[in-house]
Amino acid sequence: MRVNQQRLRSDIESNAEFGAVPTDEGRGRTVLTGSEADRRAREFFCERLRDAGLSITIDEVGNIVGRWEPESADPDAAPVATGSHLDSVPEGGIFDGPLGVYAGLESVRAMQDAGVEPVRPVEVVNFTEEEGQRFGGGLIGSAVAVGELGVAEALDIEDADGIPLGDALADIGYRGDGRVDAADWNAWIELHIEQSERLEDAAVPAGVVTSIVGLSRCAVEITGEADHAGSTLMDDRSDALAAASEFVLDVERATNERGEVSETAVGTVGKLEVSPNAPNVIAGKVDLTVDVRDVAYDSIEYVIDEAEASLDRIEAERPVETALSHPWDRKPVEMSERCRAALHDAGGDADLETLDLHSGAGHDTMHVAAVTDAALLFAPSRNGISHNPREWTDWADCADATRVLAGALADLATE
């Protein structure tokens, strides 16, 4: 099968105009769920689906599904599905999400051009609110599609202004009916930019993900006492920020220790809120987050246990109080051997090398894998940059990864 690189590029560049932001370098866009930019991106996607002869359904949380059902396909057979998302982070890049959506569509067009006669329908999906920049914590559309999140619960999620997701979708005309059920799919494959440098360093055009890392996120409170920076002697201080500094280093130390066992273990304290946050006041309280990820869940457990032990020690040694909650915990997700084999075989058929690697970021696929055979395919990212206008994947690399995707989808849809 031949992928039309120019057609794929045209779709992605056209999509990049929706929510485009000025930038000194690269191409940026801001597409928040329920925004005017989101409406325009969805409308263009639906136009391109219709142009390719796909029928369209939109579920109640705004998930869009384009369905290719040629005469060769049994309409009652479980479909093979692919796709990603069209929303972005503020001032994000043009490939994160849209590459997977439009590579899925281009794969269908390549199959049509090659005269492939699938026995199963093929569906191309745009999931709602993957990034979680306006509503909730992200992956909302796929969470609903696998039954992890109820439709009513999702629609009631409010943004910072108190606007529910359901109202925002209705305002742009994309609150549909029913619910996409990913459990009905025979298989799912998502193409995404790598967001790392492994493929670029290896000069390999496509990466087949073996597993998606588990992720635990903790919320930590360290409470001391705010006081005057000049008149409070050092021995009399209950400095929450100084205590937090020890904790941050303990998390780093514990993760480095675990890295001797599993090189993919990472731990991050990336957000701190210091109160009262004044230059002449001792910090009275610090709220921070801990983000721990690895393909081995026992690594995550080790770092979290060490974080709790750190807080116990800090309380014993300093006049502060601490608390840790654990609101988010996801175990690592293994990818389907059947789908991975289809991707490797498709790479071989296209004379394109493929590389096994893990994913350090979560994607909609981590949800879908809970209910059907699923795989994640990576295209190279220049310098590993993403969520940034300088995010870039060469057009040839986009086309090569799409060739692998198309071949795998064709194999799965005709088996």
Side-chain angles (χ1 to χ4, degrees), residues 41-51 54 56 58 64 102 174:
R42 289 168 177 268
E43 287 188 350
F44 179 73
F45 176 50
C46 289
E47 289 174 5
R48 301 303 283 152
L49 290 172
R50 293 188 190 97
D51 290 345
L54 280 69
I56 298 171
I58 302 168
I64 301 172
Y102 284 105
Y174 280 89

Short mmCIF file of all heavy atoms in Angstrom, two decimals, residues 41-51 54 56 58 64 102 174:
data_model
loop_
_atom_site.label_atom_id
_atom_site.label_comp_id
_atom_site.label_asym_id
_atom_site.label_seq_id
_atom_site.Cartn_x
_atom_site.Cartn_y
_atom_site.Cartn_z
N ALA A 41 -11.89 22.25 14.36
CA ALA A 41 -11.09 21.04 14.14
C ALA A 41 -11.99 19.82 13.93
O ALA A 41 -11.73 18.98 13.06
CB ALA A 41 -10.15 20.81 15.32
N ARG A 42 -13.04 19.74 14.74
CA ARG A 42 -13.98 18.62 14.60
C ARG A 42 -14.72 18.68 13.26
O ARG A 42 -14.90 17.65 12.58
CB ARG A 42 -14.99 18.66 15.74
CG ARG A 42 -14.41 18.27 17.11
CD ARG A 42 -15.39 18.61 18.24
NE ARG A 42 -14.91 18.22 19.53
CZ ARG A 42 -15.16 17.04 20.12
NH1 ARG A 42 -15.92 16.16 19.48
NH2 ARG A 42 -14.69 16.76 21.31
N GLU A 43 -15.15 19.86 12.86
CA GLU A 43 -15.87 19.99 11.60
C GLU A 43 -14.98 19.60 10.41
O GLU A 43 -15.43 18.90 9.49
CB GLU A 43 -16.39 21.42 11.43
CG GLU A 43 -17.57 21.74 12.32
CD GLU A 43 -18.19 23.09 12.00
OE1 GLU A 43 -17.58 23.85 11.21
OE2 GLU A 43 -19.27 23.37 12.55
N PHE A 44 -13.74 20.02 10.45
CA PHE A 44 -12.83 19.67 9.36
C PHE A 44 -12.60 18.16 9.32
O PHE A 44 -12.60 17.54 8.23
CB PHE A 44 -11.50 20.40 9.53
CG PHE A 44 -10.48 20.08 8.47
CD1 PHE A 44 -10.62 20.58 7.18
CD2 PHE A 44 -9.40 19.26 8.75
CE1 PHE A 44 -9.69 20.28 6.19
CE2 PHE A 44 -8.47 18.95 7.77
CZ PHE A 44 -8.62 19.46 6.49
N PHE A 45 -12.42 17.55 10.48
CA PHE A 45 -12.23 16.11 10.53
C PHE A 45 -13.43 15.38 9.95
O PHE A 45 -13.28 14.45 9.14
CB PHE A 45 -11.98 15.68 11.99
CG PHE A 45 -11.86 14.20 12.20
CD1 PHE A 45 -11.01 13.43 11.43
CD2 PHE A 45 -12.61 13.56 13.18
CE1 PHE A 45 -10.89 12.06 11.62
CE2 PHE A 45 -12.50 12.20 13.39
CZ PHE A 45 -11.64 11.44 12.62
N CYS A 46 -14.61 15.81 10.33
CA CYS A 46 -15.82 15.17 9.80
C CYS A 46 -15.93 15.35 8.28
O CYS A 46 -16.34 14.43 7.56
CB CYS A 46 -17.06 15.72 10.49
SG CYS A 46 -17.23 15.19 12.22
N GLU A 47 -15.53 16.51 7.78
CA GLU A 47 -15.53 16.72 6.34
C GLU A 47 -14.59 15.74 5.64
O GLU A 47 -14.93 15.17 4.60
CB GLU A 47 -15.09 18.15 6.02
CG GLU A 47 -16.10 19.23 6.38
CD GLU A 47 -15.54 20.63 6.16
OE1 GLU A 47 -14.39 20.72 5.64
OE2 GLU A 47 -16.21 21.60 6.52
N ARG A 48 -13.42 15.55 6.21
CA ARG A 48 -12.45 14.65 5.58
C ARG A 48 -12.92 13.20 5.66
O ARG A 48 -12.68 12.41 4.73
CB ARG A 48 -11.08 14.80 6.26
CG ARG A 48 -10.51 16.20 6.21
CD ARG A 48 -10.39 16.69 4.78
NE ARG A 48 -9.25 16.11 4.08
CZ ARG A 48 -9.18 15.91 2.78
NH1 ARG A 48 -10.21 16.23 2.02
NH2 ARG A 48 -8.10 15.39 2.23
N LEU A 49 -13.61 12.84 6.74
CA LEU A 49 -14.17 11.50 6.83
C LEU A 49 -15.20 11.28 5.73
O LEU A 49 -15.20 10.25 5.05
CB LEU A 49 -14.81 11.28 8.20
CG LEU A 49 -13.89 11.19 9.42
CD1 LEU A 49 -14.71 11.17 10.71
CD2 LEU A 49 -12.99 9.95 9.35
N ARG A 50 -16.10 12.25 5.56
CA ARG A 50 -17.13 12.12 4.53
C ARG A 50 -16.51 12.05 3.14
O ARG A 50 -16.97 11.29 2.28
CB ARG A 50 -18.10 13.29 4.62
CG ARG A 50 -18.94 13.31 5.89
CD ARG A 50 -20.02 14.38 5.82
NE ARG A 50 -20.67 14.56 7.10
CZ ARG A 50 -20.35 15.51 7.98
NH1 ARG A 50 -19.39 16.38 7.69
NH2 ARG A 50 -20.98 15.59 9.14
N ASP A 51 -15.48 12.87 2.91
CA ASP A 51 -14.81 12.86 1.60
C ASP A 51 -14.28 11.47 1.26
O ASP A 51 -14.19 11.11 0.07
CB ASP A 51 -13.67 13.87 1.58
CG ASP A 51 -14.15 15.32 1.59
OD1 ASP A 51 -15.34 15.54 1.32
OD2 ASP A 51 -13.33 16.21 1.89
N LEU A 54 -16.58 7.62 4.61
CA LEU A 54 -16.84 7.02 5.91
C LEU A 54 -18.12 7.60 6.51
O LEU A 54 -18.39 8.81 6.37
CB LEU A 54 -15.68 7.26 6.88
CG LEU A 54 -14.46 6.34 6.74
CD1 LEU A 54 -13.71 6.60 5.45
CD2 LEU A 54 -13.52 6.51 7.95
N ILE A 56 -20.38 8.63 9.90
CA ILE A 56 -19.94 9.31 11.12
C ILE A 56 -20.96 9.12 12.22
O ILE A 56 -22.16 9.29 12.01
CB ILE A 56 -19.71 10.81 10.87
CG1 ILE A 56 -18.61 11.03 9.83
CG2 ILE A 56 -19.36 11.53 12.18
CD1 ILE A 56 -18.49 12.47 9.37
N ILE A 58 -21.36 10.33 16.49
CA ILE A 58 -20.83 11.15 17.58
C ILE A 58 -21.56 10.75 18.85
O ILE A 58 -22.79 10.78 18.89
CB ILE A 58 -21.02 12.65 17.31
CG1 ILE A 58 -20.35 13.04 15.99
CG2 ILE A 58 -20.47 13.48 18.46
CD1 ILE A 58 -20.73 14.42 15.49
N ILE A 64 -15.86 11.09 18.29
CA ILE A 64 -16.23 11.01 16.87
C ILE A 64 -15.67 9.72 16.28
O ILE A 64 -14.48 9.44 16.43
CB ILE A 64 -15.71 12.21 16.09
CG1 ILE A 64 -16.27 13.52 16.65
CG2 ILE A 64 -16.07 12.09 14.60
CD1 ILE A 64 -15.64 14.76 16.04
N TYR A 102 -5.23 11.63 11.81
CA TYR A 102 -5.17 11.71 10.35
C TYR A 102 -4.35 10.58 9.72
O TYR A 102 -4.58 10.21 8.56
CB TYR A 102 -4.68 13.09 9.92
CG TYR A 102 -5.80 14.10 10.07
CD1 TYR A 102 -5.81 15.02 11.11
CD2 TYR A 102 -6.88 14.07 9.20
CE1 TYR A 102 -6.88 15.90 11.27
CE2 TYR A 102 -7.94 14.94 9.34
CZ TYR A 102 -7.94 15.85 10.38
OH TYR A 102 -9.00 16.71 10.54
N TYR A 174 -21.39 19.32 19.35
CA TYR A 174 -20.78 18.00 19.33
C TYR A 174 -21.08 17.18 20.58
O TYR A 174 -20.27 16.37 21.02
CB TYR A 174 -19.26 18.11 19.10
CG TYR A 174 -18.97 18.31 17.63
CD1 TYR A 174 -18.92 19.60 17.09
CD2 TYR A 174 -18.81 17.23 16.78
CE1 TYR A 174 -18.71 19.79 15.74
CE2 TYR A 174 -18.60 17.42 15.43
CZ TYR A 174 -18.55 18.69 14.91
OH TYR A 174 -18.34 18.87 13.57
#
